[in-house]
Amino acid sequence: MVRSGLSLADLAERHRPELLAYLVRFLGDEHDAQDVCQETFLRAQRAFARLRPDSNSRAWLYRIATHNALSTLRRRSRMVARRVDVELDGLPARGATSGEQRLQLVAVTTAVSGLPPRQRAALMLRQFHGLAYAEIAAMLGGNEAAARANVYQAIKKLRALLGGPNP
Amino acid sequence: MTRELTRHDDQIIAMLLGDAPASPALETWLRSAAGRRELAAYRRTLGTFTRIYGAIRAPRPRPTAYYCAISSPIGRVLVAATEAGLVRVSFRSSEASFVTELRERHAFDVIPSPAKTAGIVHQLRAYFDGERRRFDIQIDFRHVSAFQRRVLLAAARVPVGQVVSYGEIARRIGRPGGSRAVGQALGHNPVPIVIPCHRVIAAGGMLGGYTGGLEIKKKLLRIEGALAETG
């Protein structure tokens, strides 16, 4: 395969850490995240020859990862609902967390894991991975306004669950 | 009321995310008791969420195996290498099952890369062309037991053009009588050709077995001149 740009191995080296972080945030499970990340590069391999050299390969990888994560969630939802276990691993100083912080952690991860998958994906992509609404729309289907609505809906739900009493 | 709340909510979120500045109407509302309460609630929500999910670090990626398929006089050969060295050579026809084995048995992330396997591929081609008689390649033995490693390293010292028996390898590693265990260890050689388990044969000149199939063993020995062309 002769390409002027980067090879898939180069792209993997460059983007795999951030894709893994995204998938842990999105899926709430490190093992699933590793599996989906691996699957992402296998799919990417099949499509790599068709990737135009001038296209945004980072957004392209996020798009494949998002598709794979969504189908993993569909498979998983047909099985037993699983508990989220990102919480303690994700904390910078987990040994020092107080009981109160722990409760907050459980409340937040429970609220986030209860969001519809597309809203959760859109929220993570917007908030932590710097993707534009147009790019998120390309990943989730729909237009830019729908991508933005997914993010806003997610935040409104989190606010209802975590932000204290409604007016 | 609900509709108005939705509008305010969207505007607050747009403002907090930096999507749009607050309109004069929103600023007026944010000065009311309800406005102050809502703004604080959204700030708290986003702050807590961002603190917790922002702190999630990328897990350490699984080790990567880069692979490549080449055609050769013995058919298709698949090779995989990690940063530590060559990890797998396989004659199997299915690329998918090769990838699956690396993924599921060895927990590698598997990525095709002619570039990362160029060194080994170059040496293999030269070997098949009869231009190279020994390999100069780092081998990643992470999934190989200590015993198997000793057997493989002993087999690696059998020069091209020669053959030795399983029993001889057993003697060389200090396990006389261990030829069956040696046969087992060689039968699971993860890097055939490069570690020339095909040069180890049964006592009495019988070829013994070969995981890739006896035809491949014969061909390799012919390429090396250890077996007559008609053998």
Side-chain angles (χ1 to χ4, degrees):
Chain A
M1 191 181 330
V2 181
R3 285 170 57 86
S4 53
L6 296 163
S7 73
L8 188 59
D10 295 329
L11 289 181
E13 248 167 62
R14 181 177 297 185
H15 298 301
R16 193 163 48 161
E18 59 173 308
L19 286 169
L20 270 173
Y22 162 56
L23 291 168
V24 173
R25 290 181 178 120
F26 181 10
L27 297 171
D29 180 281
E30 186 176 321
H31 184 80
D32 284 349
Q34 294 273 18
D35 282 350
V36 169
C37 188
Q38 160 79 86
E39 190 64 31
T40 295
F41 283 102
L42 288 179
R43 299 245 169 135
Q45 173 205 344
R46 281 174 228 140
F48 190 59
R50 298 193 299 276
L51 179 69
R52 294 213 325 273
D54 60 343
S55 56
N56 181 343
S57 49
R58 178 174 179 264
W60 176 71
L61 288 172
Y62 270 98
R63 181 178 180 165
I64 300 172
T66 301
H67 278 208
N68 287 334
L70 285 170
S71 37
T72 294
L73 287 172
R74 274 194 296 275
R75 276 199 303 276
R76 190 205 277 178
S77 70
R78 285 196 290 270
M79 300 184 289
V80 194
R82 273 207 278 179
R83 236 182 64 75
V84 179
D85 55 5
V86 286
E87 60 259 327
L88 298 177
D89 285 344
L91 270 190
R94 64 205 212 210
T97 42
S98 67
E100 196 180 327
Q101 283 173 310
R102 219 168 263 266
L103 281 178
Q104 188 182 52
L105 202 56
V106 172
V108 171
T109 53
T110 303
V112 169
S113 66
L115 294 172
R118 276 160 202 282
Q119 291 182 15
R120 201 160 67 231
L123 178 64
M124 302 305 178
L125 291 165
R126 169 68 179 81
Q127 191 72 350
F128 299 112
H129 299 274
L131 289 157
Y133 291 120
E135 292 172 315
I136 297 171
M139 290 168 205
L140 296 176
N143 57 21
E144 210 174 313
R148 182 193 292 247
N150 270 319
V151 175
Y152 285 27
Q153 278 300 329
I155 294 173
K156 282 185 244 183
K157 282 182 193 158
L158 294 183
R159 179 258 172 271
L161 290 165
L162 307 167
N166 277 302
Chain B
M1 183 67 184
T2 307
R3 188 185 226 161
E4 190 187 31
L5 265 180
T6 303
R7 191 165 54 79
H8 282 146
D9 284 0
D10 284 340
Q11 288 183 11
I12 290 172
I13 294 169
M15 180 185 80
L16 291 177
L17 293 184
D19 289 345
S23 66
L26 179 67
E27 285 193 358
T28 305
W29 186 72
L30 287 177
R31 281 193 288 273
S32 71
R36 282 201 302 277
R37 189 178 57 226
E38 277 310 290
L39 181 59
Y42 272 106
R43 282 217 165 106
R44 197 160 53 237
T45 300
L46 268 176
T48 310
F49 164 71
T50 304
R51 184 169 50 75
I52 289 174
Y53 276 78
I56 290 176
R57 287 157 285 123
R60 180 197 296 271
R62 291 173 182 163
T64 307
Y66 302 98
Y67 80 96
C68 182
I70 61 168
S71 52
S72 81
I74 57 162
R76 192 154 72 140
V77 176
L78 291 149
V79 298
T82 66
E83 298 294 345
L86 182 69
V87 76
R88 193 81 179 89
V89 174
S90 174
F91 312 120
R92 81 180 75 205
S93 55
S94 160
E95 188 172 318
S97 76
F98 179 72
V99 168
T100 302
E101 180 201 303
L102 290 166
R103 280 181 71 180
E104 295 181 357
R105 277 208 7 228
H106 303 312
F108 285 120
D109 269 1
V110 186
I111 293 174
S113 176
K116 298 271 188 182
T117 49
I120 163 71
V121 166
H122 181 76
Q123 291 192 30
L124 275 173
R125 287 196 199 285
Y127 165 82
F128 287 125
D129 290 344
E131 291 161 7
R132 174 175 274 277
R133 298 179 62 81
R134 54 181 298 277
F135 293 96
D136 182 17
I137 291 169
Q138 285 287 327
I139 293 172
D140 180 346
F141 279 120
R142 79 180 76 192
H143 295 296
V144 173
S145 71
F147 172 75
Q148 192 185 10
R149 188 184 303 208
R150 277 163 61 212
V151 172
L152 294 175
L153 290 175
R157 282 191 285 271
V158 180
V160 73
Q162 293 186 17
V163 291
V164 302
S165 69
Y166 296 108
E168 176 59 25
I169 295 286
R171 273 190 295 281
R172 288 183 189 180
I173 62 163
R175 287 275 294 267
S179 57
R180 180 179 289 273
V182 166
Q184 282 286 319
L186 291 173
H188 294 100
N189 176 9
V191 289
I193 304 178
V194 174
I195 286 184
C197 56
H198 58 276
R199 291 177 202 153
V200 186
I201 62 173
M206 302 292 287
L207 279 183
Y210 197 62
T211 301
L214 216 49
E215 272 313 304
I216 291 181
K217 190 168 189 173
K218 283 184 193 164
K219 275 190 186 167
L220 290 171
L221 291 174
R222 278 192 206 110
I223 289 170
E224 298 180 355
L227 197 65
E229 285 300 320
T230 52

